């Protein structure tokens, strides 16, 4: 439960952290320019970048899709509740910052089971006075626990946006589809599913090379086709919003992504390739760069 999670003994949290194996949330943190990671995570990120030098665009465009989707649901659709599973480490533009920046009374529940994420979870709970944020220490594969605990913060009689952003490719089919269905089936009418997923449909050679670097490190890594991604929506009768299940940079990208602050050339030259990623302008993107399908859908 959220309160119990945040009161865990720091020594116990440190004991739970395995610094000998890379963790998806921490590797993602590396690509986003975060500091809450370990050498093993940076090695995994560097290997993935070596396999696909433009692969950082998948990570950054995935994150920017989340920004655009939460913005659209809050500003245009009136959604005021978000359940974000597989939250990852706190970084700029978290769900509650985006939603509450538009609608201060928004309520957000984050879910993750990585002890490193848990150790930094308080950074995700800096809600404005009108809104609420909470954190659940739980695994996506425990939907009943997630739903029971989330109901202490979210009103399941009002629409909720379920965010499953870059998490399902770490879950095998026999668990992924039933878990998503159980979660969606518990949501009231008018709720939304926000989903992103890696695929080999678009640029198979580059993403297969990345997959190899991760599976060597013990990650489950399932690349799903467009039809297999669409199945997450179809199995619960969700109506997929326009423009459908599309590559990340084709989902309502008309206004582009924020441009990073400029960096002096000599400073940039002193950085390694991973450090440079956070300063890249992701508006410089082509269809040959992206291996992520994204979509949102509505529950009738």
């Amino acid at each position: 439960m959220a309160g119990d999670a945040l009161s865990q003994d720091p020594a116990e949290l440190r004991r739970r952290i395995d610094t000998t194996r890379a963790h998806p949330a921490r590797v993602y943190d590396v690509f986003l320019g975060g500091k809450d990671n370990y050498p093993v995570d940076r090695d995994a990120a560097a290997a993935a970048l070596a396999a696909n030098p433009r692969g950082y665009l998948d990570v950054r465009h995935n994150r920017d899709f989340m920004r655009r989707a939460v913005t659209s649901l809050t500003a245009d659709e009136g959604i005021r509740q978000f359940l974000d599973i597989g939250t990852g480490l706190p970084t700029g533009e978290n769900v509650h910052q985006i939603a509450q920046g538009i609608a201060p009374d928004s309520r957000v529940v984050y879910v993750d089971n990585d002890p490193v994420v848990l150790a930094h979870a308080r950074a995700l709970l800096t809600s404005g006075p009108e809104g609420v944020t909470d954190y659940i220490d739980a695994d996506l594969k425990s939907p009943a626990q997630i739903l029971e605990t989330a109901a202490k913060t979210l009103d399941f009689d009002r629409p909720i946006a379920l965010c499953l952003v870059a998490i399902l490719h770490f879950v095998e089919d026999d668990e992924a589809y039933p878990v998503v269905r159980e979660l969606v089936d518990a949501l009231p009418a008018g709720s939304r599913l926000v989903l992103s997923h890696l695929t080999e449909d678009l640029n198979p050679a580059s993403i297969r090379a990345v997959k190899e670097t991760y599976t060597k490190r013990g990650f489950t890594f399932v690349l799903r086709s467009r039809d297999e991604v669409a199945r997450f929506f179809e199995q619960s009768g969700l109506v997929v919003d326009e423009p459908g299940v599309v590559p990340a940079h084709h989902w309502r990208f008309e206004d582009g992504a924020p441009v990073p602050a400029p960096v002096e050339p000599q400073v940039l030259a002193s950085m390694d390739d991973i450090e440079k990623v956070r300063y890249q302008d992701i508006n410089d993107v082509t269809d040959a760069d992206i291996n992520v399908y994204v979509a949102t859908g509505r529950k009738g």
Side-chain angles (χ1 to χ4, degrees):
M1 294 168 58
D4 294 338
L6 292 178
S7 64
Q8 286 193 28
D9 178 23
E12 171 62 18
L13 284 178
R14 287 194 295 272
R15 188 192 65 77
R16 285 175 55 188
I17 296 171
D18 183 355
T19 62
T20 67
R21 296 181 60 187
H23 188 283
R26 303 194 307 253
V27 175
Y28 194 72
D29 181 64
V30 174
F31 277 111
L32 293 176
K35 301 296 183 184
D36 301 312
N37 49 70
Y38 295 91
V40 67
D41 306 304
R42 293 188 284 277
D43 288 346
L49 195 64
N52 179 16
R54 299 273 286 174
Y56 67 88
L57 288 165
D58 280 333
V59 177
R60 295 274 304 282
H61 272 275
N62 174 78
R63 187 74 183 182
D64 199 63
F65 158 70
M66 187 274 288
R67 176 188 66 83
R68 301 193 307 274
V70 172
T71 297
S72 176
L73 291 178
T74 308
D76 303 331
E77 305 293 338
I79 298 294
R80 297 292 182 266
Q81 301 190 105
F82 294 84
L83 178 57
D84 182 10
I85 303 179
T87 301
L89 287 150
T91 185
E93 292 278 274
N94 296 296
V95 171
H96 75 281
Q97 293 165 319
I98 300 166
Q100 292 177 358
I102 299 166
D105 60 337
S106 297
R107 306 172 75 86
V108 178
V109 172
Y110 293 105
V111 182
D112 209 300
N113 71 331
D114 177 27
V116 173
V117 177
L118 177 57
H120 295 274
R122 286 179 179 82
L124 292 170
L125 302 179
T126 54
S127 176
E130 298 175 58
V132 177
T133 61
D134 208 348
Y135 180 93
I136 301 172
D137 179 18
D139 193 297
L140 170 65
K141 299 173 186 178
S142 303
Q145 176 194 355
I146 291 171
L147 292 166
E148 179 183 0
T149 311
K152 297 175 182 178
T153 301
L154 304 178
D155 179 356
F156 276 72
D157 291 326
R158 297 171 52 231
I160 296 169
L162 170 64
C163 301
L164 299 173
V165 177
I167 183 173
L168 290 169
H169 42 248
F170 298 116
V171 186
E172 297 285 2
D173 284 356
D174 60 347
E175 292 181 301
Y177 288 104
V179 161
V180 174
R181 178 156 195 166
E182 184 172 346
L183 290 167
V184 172
D185 286 354
L187 302 178
S191 292
R192 297 301 186 97
L193 174 60
V194 178
L195 187 149
S196 66
H197 201 296
L198 285 170
T199 183
E200 61 182 355
D201 283 0
L202 305 173
N203 299 289
S206 62
I207 195 63
R208 285 171 186 162
V210 172
K211 176 179 179 177
E212 183 179 356
T213 69
Y214 284 134
T215 54
K216 281 181 178 177
R217 289 165 170 79
F219 290 5
T220 297
F221 212 78
V222 184
L223 301 172
R224 293 189 171 94
S225 68
R226 184 185 181 282
D227 287 347
E228 289 169 329
V229 173
R231 181 181 161 195
F232 286 112
F233 294 85
E234 294 164 354
Q235 68 177 0
S236 295
L238 299 176
V239 177
V240 178
D241 301 315
E242 292 294 334
V245 179
V246 296
H249 64 307
H250 288 307
W251 197 93
R252 305 183 191 181
F253 195 58
E254 295 80 7
D255 296 328
V259 177
V263 181
E264 293 293 334
Q266 62 269 26
V267 175
L268 200 63
S270 69
M271 299 177 181
D272 63 27
D273 289 343
I274 282 291
E275 291 175 316
K276 292 176 183 176
V277 163
R278 79 178 87 170
Y279 300 106
Q280 301 291 341
D281 180 1
I282 67 170
N283 293 285
D284 172 28
V285 62
T286 71
D287 289 350
D289 293 320
I290 297 298
N291 300 283
V292 182
Y293 279 131
V294 305
T296 65
R298 178 195 295 270
K299 184 172 181 177

